[in-house]
Amino acid sequence: MSILSYKFMQEALLAGLLAGIGCSLIGVFVVTMHLSFIGVSLAHAAFAGALFATWLGFDPLLGATLFSLAGAAAIGPLADRGEFNLDTPIGIIFSITMGLAFLFMGLLPGPKTQALELLWGSILTVTTTDLWLLAVVTIIVTGLVVMFFKEIQAVIFHREMARAVGIPAHEIFYSILFLTGATVTASLRSIGGLLIFNLILNPAAAAYQLTYSLKGMFFLAVLFGVLSCWAGLGVSYILDVPSGAAIVLTSAVIFVLATIFSPKRKVKQWQENE
């Protein structure tokens, strides 16, 4: 009997499709707006929230959602009102949530099995609730990218200039932060709090190496994200290794190959030789 005939593998492939699309679309914002550290920060926030909810006896997804959205809500105003580089508030949120994650992990009674599952993720054990959450978040992210592509493109190019011509740049920027938090939360159980940042960043960074077009970058990032999930699942099954790690390492291999064959790299070398 083929492994694809099993329900858990079919659900894992569906989760990989949804997570690959959602994370990769968010990754384009992260790469083009130089927010590389935001995925790490919000992943730790979601992980800390999940541990907090587990400690109190609630659904981990509820805590992950609240903490990741709170982290996203704090980053924007801190950057705007603090008048410093965006990396600074992201770093502050990261340090706070990492400390809280270790604190709540220490407070959990008994073995830390559930905490480790949230840390590493397990796409092979996703539930129907996980799939619905992934589907809703992915549909929202995809819909907003399609509906507001021109406005998003303007904000990515220059946030202040976009605001000067009447585009709601702050609202779009904050929406991107919240969508990043929601995507991290939706992918927490399948990919894991420690690895989700890589699935957000690697496919988009690989796409960035291969195209100058924003539309092309969105398309390639999604392609690489889904490919990373599905190929990683195959590697996980064949080699009997953790699925989350296999997915992330596959995305890293795709990034390395994209960098090697990048037309931008060749153009840069040509310019240096002139």
Side-chain angles (χ1 to χ4, degrees):
M1 183 181 290
S2 170
I3 186 66
L4 297 179
S5 63
Y6 290 104
K7 184 180 179 182
F8 77 90
M9 181 56 76
Q10 294 170 0
E11 291 178 340
L13 290 171
L14 179 57
L17 173 66
L18 296 171
I21 294 173
C23 291
S24 300
L25 291 175
I26 291 297
V28 173
F29 299 128
V30 169
V31 170
T32 55
M33 299 181 73
H34 309 291
L35 304 173
S36 299
F37 202 39
I38 193 173
V40 178
S41 177
L42 295 182
H44 278 78
F47 180 55
L51 292 177
F52 180 64
T54 302
W55 177 50
L56 294 179
F58 296 110
D59 187 345
L61 279 180
L62 176 61
T65 301
L66 293 176
F67 271 58
S68 61
L69 293 183
I75 289 172
L78 278 174
D80 288 339
R81 297 173 188 174
E83 296 183 356
F84 38 55
N85 190 281
L86 189 58
D87 286 340
T88 303
I90 292 176
I92 293 170
I93 299 299
F94 168 73
S95 62
I96 293 172
T97 54
M98 184 170 63
L100 289 174
F102 281 111
L103 172 63
F104 297 142
M105 184 181 291
L107 292 174
L108 287 176
K112 315 299 182 186
T113 305
Q114 190 170 9
L116 292 177
E117 288 178 354
L118 292 169
L119 184 65
W120 296 108
S122 179
I123 198 171
L124 296 175
T125 59
V126 291
T127 64
T128 303
T129 302
D130 297 330
L131 289 174
W132 273 111
L133 180 60
L134 268 172
V136 170
V137 171
T138 300
I139 290 171
I140 291 174
V141 172
T142 305
L144 290 177
V145 168
V146 173
M147 291 172 59
F148 300 102
F149 178 79
K150 291 182 178 180
E151 291 83 355
I152 289 171
Q153 188 174 32
V155 172
I156 289 175
F157 177 73
H158 199 291
R159 186 175 160 194
E160 295 304 321
M161 188 178 295
R163 187 174 63 173
V165 297
I167 295 173
H170 284 311
E171 288 78 2
I172 291 175
F173 176 68
Y174 289 158
S175 297
I176 290 171
L177 293 179
F178 280 113
L179 288 174
T180 302
T183 303
V184 166
T185 299
S187 307
L188 186 64
R189 275 184 176 157
S190 55
I191 308 300
L194 192 63
L195 302 175
I196 184 63
F197 163 70
N198 298 279
L199 188 60
I200 289 175
L201 182 64
N202 291 351
Y208 182 78
Q209 296 292 327
L210 298 176
T211 181
Y212 292 94
S213 164
L214 185 60
K215 286 184 178 179
M217 187 174 174
F218 275 118
F219 174 77
L220 287 175
V222 168
L223 177 64
F224 293 154
V226 175
L227 179 62
S228 298
C229 290
W230 285 357
L233 276 171
V235 171
S236 172
Y237 172 71
I238 294 171
L239 301 181
D240 192 23
V241 295
S243 53
I247 290 171
V248 168
L249 289 175
T250 302
S251 72
V253 170
I254 292 175
F255 169 73
V256 171
L257 292 174
T259 302
I260 292 173
F261 295 103
S262 172
K264 296 181 180 181
R265 179 170 171 265
K266 295 177 181 178
V267 169
K268 185 177 180 181
Q269 289 177 342
W270 177 78
Q271 290 175 341
E272 290 175 350
N273 292 331
E274 282 296 309

